Amino acid sequence: MNRRHLIAATAAALVAGAMPAAAQTYPARPITMIIPFAAGGPTDVVARIVAEAMSKNLGQTIVIENVAGAGGTTGSTRLTQAAPDGYSIMIGHTGTHAASVALYPNLRYNPVSDFAPIGLVNTNAILITAKKALPANNLAEFVAWLKANERTANNAHAGIGSVSHTTCLLLHAILGVKPQSVPYRGTGPAMNDLVAGQVDYLCDQVVNVAPQVRAGTIKAFAVAQPQRNAALPDIPTTAEAGLPNYQVVVWNAMLAPKGTPEAIVTRLNQALVAALNDDGVKARLAELGADLPTGNLATPAGLRAFLEAEIAKWTPVIKEAGVTASN
């Protein structure tokens, strides 16, 4: 071995020696990914697409575990109790790791300090939808109908603190209405009842509602983002439809328990970034209307700063609505 190769080999050995033994062999067995909502909802759909691609990169299966309840805080709490060894991770979102701070006075975790951020997975616009039998045919007619039927109108959502709950709270605050709230144990069951005509309307992610809109099983009034969504280009934006102050984008993020070794977090982040750069994954997420993270949002440090900013943004919205929940 010549001198150059000896130096390189020695340096590699020193780096390996500085890493925890577990990190050097990670992952050596399947990884559990907690989804804090029922199967079939938007977070679950995105998570399964990304997990499949990450499994190939990591060389180990990622097993999905749906832990629904309390607006996603039950599953989030479960992760904080898991060993910080990289074999338990989760997908959190706007509800579990931002709105939850104001919604749950006795929240059993800190959305920032009790987790090791891995990276942002995606962002997604909110779409205002309704059952087919609703008499309104555009956003202006829906707003007029909602104000006229405030006492009897019912709003389906995936549970207190869920994205479909908090984003409609913002809509209600803007319109000055307080309709009936109909909580479900996930957006999947809520969507099933919307399609069946059992509830009136739902504010939800394009990822979840795009298939139903394309199939014509529900009505779609407007997408709450500055530009039209590529998955549903015929649906106007809220600005185009006459409600420009209703702009809201939600997100999914990957996290591990606090104390997970940095080397393992880095390896998981690498697998996540590789999955999001996979052409097949990008195509599937684009078809659902999901947007991929840009800049440093796909990094652990970027996600931590993002979480802090999101908590600061959603806390006054929730408090102004006067809604709280117990978990």
Side-chain angles (χ1 to χ4, degrees), residues 84-107:
D85 55 8
Y87 291 100
S88 294
I89 58 177
M90 77 169 291
I91 299 292
H93 73 2
T94 310
T96 61
H97 283 72
S100 58
V101 173
L103 278 167
Y104 293 90
N106 299 314
L107 190 66

Side-chain angles (χ1 to χ4, degrees), residues 4 55 59 100 108 118 132 134 159 167 172 179 190 205 212 231 235 258 297 301-302 326:
R4 180 182 298 174
S55 293
S100 58
R108 289 173 286 177
I118 296 171
K132 283 195 69 175
L134 201 81
T167 55
H172 297 157
Q205 302 175 58
Q212 286 75 22
I235 306 300
K258 176 182 68 175
L297 290 177
S326 61

Side-chain angles (χ1 to χ4, degrees), residues 90-94 96-98 111-113 115-123 251-256 265 269 272 276 293-311:
M90 77 169 291
I91 299 292
H93 73 2
T94 310
T96 61
H97 283 72
V112 179
S113 62
F115 298 85
I118 296 171
L120 196 69
V121 176
N122 74 290
T123 58
W251 44 268
N252 291 305
M254 189 172 295
L255 307 110
V265 171
N269 175 261
L272 171 61
L276 296 178
T294 58
N296 72 340
L297 290 177
T299 68
L303 175 56
R304 182 178 294 277
F306 179 75
L307 291 176
E308 293 172 346
E310 284 291 287
I311 291 170

